[in-house]
Every structure is written in C-alpha cells, then in structure tokens.
Amino acid sequence: MKKYIPSLITLTGLFCGFVAIAEANYTKSALLILIAFICDGLDGFVARLLDVKSEFGKQLDSLSDIVCFGVAPAYLYYLLAPDDSIECLIIPGLIVLAGAARLARFNVLPSVHYFRGLPIPANAFFFVGIVLAIDNDNELMSQLYDNKFLYLVTPIIMSILMVTTKIRMFGIKTINKEFKNYIFPLVLVILFGVLWFLYNWAAFPLTIASYVILSVFYTIVTRDEVRPIIN
C-alpha cells in the first residue's frame, strides 16, 4: 500500500492544477498552484523516505508538472492579456510548449548536480508572482505589464530559459561544503527576503529574474566542473 502514497500526493497536486485552471481566479488559482508546488516536493521526499521510487512515479510527476506549472500559469497569464489579439493568445502558449519540452528532456538525460536551464516550477513562480502582484495592486508590476510589448516578450524569454542547456541553474542538490556551491542559494534567499519586504508579491518574479542572473555567474564559476549525481 505504501508504494501508492507518493502517487496519491502527485495526483493531489495535479488536481490542484486542474482546479486552478477551472477557477480562473487570480488569487485562488495562484494559491492552488503554490499548493501543487508543495505536493511536487513532498511526493519525491515521501518516495525516498519509504524507498518506493519508481519509473511510474517519475512519469506521473512530469505529467502533473506540465499541468500545474505549465498550463495553469500560462492560462492565468493569458487572463492578463492587454487585448484580445491573436498574438496575446499564441505567445502565452509558448510557456506550455517549452515546459513540455523541458520535462521530456529532463526524463531522458542523466542527472547532474545542477538544472539545465530554468526549472518549470521556477518559471511558474515567475508568472504566478506577476498575477498575484497585479491582483494586489502592485504599482510596479501593473505598470510593467500594461505594456503589450513586455507582455509578449516575457513568455518568449522565459521559454528560451527553460529549454536552454547553456545555463547551469543552481538548486538544493548544488549545495555542498565548497563556498561557490552554497553562497549562490544563500544570496538568493537573502534577496527574496529583501524583495518581499520592499515589493510583496512582486518579489516572486524579481527573485526568479535574480536567480537567472546569479545562475549565469554560477555557470561561469563552475564551467569546468562536471559532478554527476547519484539519485
């Protein structure tokens, strides 16, 4: 019975992703995506804890991710469209396409101690943060995304970041005793705290933008390092 527990957690997250789309409500949908993110981290933790990791669970997790962190945030972002033009419909769809391509690649490539390009949950946090910031009358995000050009160019940039293999994005598995491997996550956490204090929900997209910039420096620092991960 215990082998089904991680999958049930994954399916709970997937259901949250579906309800987020069905609700089409900035606050409720964004919070449901955040709950799905918790489930996404919890299912893997429980699978390792119970020693029931499986290929089925891995594939189910990816299917859940594309709904929760691809389709749901893309749809919420589409709801922010400045007009009803065809480009405002098509461009947010790139978030889904790039996310699907990224997840498929992740499943077939060997694991390393960094992310190849922007992880799809981080991309979701970026767009969820924009939605929540605008819904809570954040002046900075409201002014930025009232501009149609920025509205259209943002998904293009974020989609490229998801599918690129040139940038090493640091994460939890990056951290070890070497200074360069824990200082980047530490700086990012501190930045998030400062940005949250200054900008509230806008801290999400601003932190992800900072994550990308810091990861460029991390890529430079670790460009000659190849350290495989044992899953």
Side-chain angles (χ1 to χ4, degrees):
M1 180 63 186
K2 68 178 184 178
K3 68 180 181 179
Y4 299 113
I5 295 176
S7 294
L8 288 173
I9 297 173
T10 304
L11 290 172
T12 300
L14 177 57
F15 183 73
C16 287
F18 162 72
V19 178
I21 297 167
E23 284 285 338
N25 176 281
Y26 292 152
T27 301
K28 289 181 181 178
S29 298
L31 292 178
L32 283 162
I33 292 171
L34 296 181
I35 293 172
F37 176 78
I38 294 172
C39 292
D40 185 56
L42 189 60
D43 59 4
F45 172 77
V46 171
R48 290 188 294 272
L49 184 66
L50 299 178
D51 193 25
V52 290
K53 291 193 298 181
S54 67
E55 186 63 27
F56 172 82
K58 180 181 178 181
Q59 299 302 326
L60 184 63
D61 186 69
S62 289
L63 292 172
S64 175
D65 283 358
I66 192 57
V67 174
C68 299
F69 309 132
V71 179
Y75 182 59
L76 283 185
Y77 187 70
Y78 165 69
L79 296 178
L80 292 177
D83 58 48
D84 295 328
S85 61
I86 187 65
E87 60 268 23
C88 287
L89 172 63
I90 293 175
I91 297 300
L94 294 177
I95 300 168
V96 182
L97 302 181
R102 173 182 173 76
L103 289 168
R105 186 184 66 199
F106 178 81
N107 283 345
V108 299
L109 290 180
S111 293
V112 287
H113 70 284
Y114 53 85
F115 297 109
R116 300 177 179 91
L118 185 69
I120 189 172
N123 181 72
F125 268 119
F126 181 88
F127 289 104
V128 165
I130 291 173
V131 169
L132 284 173
I134 292 175
D135 191 47
N136 286 276
D137 301 317
N138 181 274
E139 186 176 347
L140 173 63
M141 288 296 141
S142 296
Q143 289 180 352
L144 286 175
Y145 285 92
D146 192 43
N147 182 293
K148 183 175 179 178
F149 174 78
L150 185 61
Y151 174 85
L152 293 174
V153 78
T154 298
I156 296 173
I157 294 172
M158 299 304 289
S159 296
I160 292 171
L161 288 172
M162 276 196 287
V163 298
T164 184
T165 58
K166 301 298 183 182
I167 302 176
R168 296 182 174 187
M169 312 293 291
F170 57 84
I172 297 299
K173 293 180 180 180
T174 300
I175 300 174
N176 61 21
K177 294 180 180 180
E178 292 184 47
F179 178 77
K180 67 176 181 294
N181 288 320
Y182 70 79
I183 190 61
F184 287 98
L186 179 62
V187 169
L188 190 66
V189 170
I190 294 171
L191 265 176
F192 176 75
V194 172
L195 290 169
W196 178 265
F197 178 76
L198 294 174
Y199 300 109
N200 205 283
W201 288 110
F204 277 63
L206 293 174
T207 299
I208 297 303
S210 302
Y211 177 39
V212 172
I213 294 170
L214 285 171
S215 291
V216 171
F217 287 104
Y218 176 75
T219 301
I220 295 170
V221 170
T222 64
R223 62 183 178 273
D224 296 325
E225 180 182 324
V226 179
R227 179 161 52 91
I229 269 187
I230 300 175
N231 289 321

